[in-house]
Amino acid sequence: QVPLAESGGNSVQAGGSLRLSCAGLGDTYNYYCLGWLRQAPGKQREAVAVIDADGTANYADSVKGRFTISRDNAESTLYLQMNNLKAEDGAMYYCATIISCTEMTIPNTYCRGEYCYTPDATWDYRDQGTQVTVSS
């Protein structure tokens, strides 16, 4: 299990912004794809954004244009900038690693309970997360 620590979750009004951070990745994960998963109450966990080792990012359609994923390998930190938040963005957010990713990783991510995977790889993350609440 990866030693990840998410932070930055908070309660905001719709239209507001938050920046999530994930620290503790370590040099090993500079070569991995990194991403964010989220789970809203009563819903299945889903992949939101992924970024590969070269910085190429892909997003779920629901957040495209509003969320930006970035990584700072020197600081071993992953970020998720969330703008124009909507009520439906309210969820527990988890940072995660996956050994490989493509533009199909997000749409091909399937989650069953706490396990999320693609046909080629499994997401790895610590099941702690940071809570984002958006009030309308």
Side-chain angles (χ1 to χ4, degrees):
Q1 201 173 42
V2 295
L4 305 175
E6 303 94 340
S7 63
N10 211 330
S11 296
V12 296
Q13 290 192 328
S17 298
L18 284 174
R19 188 192 197 201
L20 306 184
S21 299
C22 177
L25 289 162
D27 292 345
T28 301
Y29 296 101
N30 288 350
Y31 305 100
Y32 279 60
C33 295
L34 306 175
W36 291 92
L37 310 174
R38 71 182 181 186
Q39 186 168 18
K43 293 188 177 181
Q44 191 59 267
R45 202 161 293 191
E46 62 178 350
V48 174
V50 65
I51 185 168
D52 68 14
D54 295 327
T56 299
N58 286 283
Y59 301 90
D61 288 344
S62 59
V63 306
K64 210 172 285 184
R66 300 185 299 118
F67 288 14
T68 302
I69 188 172
S70 61
R71 62 192 294 169
D72 185 335
N73 289 342
E75 297 295 327
S76 297
T77 304
L78 176 70
Y79 300 99
L80 185 68
Q81 177 67 43
M82 306 186 295
N83 297 329
N84 191 20
L85 282 161
K86 302 178 180 180
E88 53 264 39
D89 295 319
M92 188 71 79
Y93 284 73
Y94 306 88
C95 66
T97 69
I98 191 166
I99 190 106
S100 64
C101 59
T102 69
E103 67 277 6
M104 296 306 296
T105 294
I106 297 295
N108 284 348
T109 290
Y110 301 93
C111 295
R112 178 175 295 179
E114 64 186 49
Y115 298 102
C116 296
Y117 50 92
T118 71
D120 302 314
T122 301
W123 287 95
D124 192 11
Y125 56 96
R126 187 180 66 172
D127 199 23
Q128 178 166 324
T130 187
Q131 181 68 46
V132 172
T133 302
V134 184
S135 57
S136 56

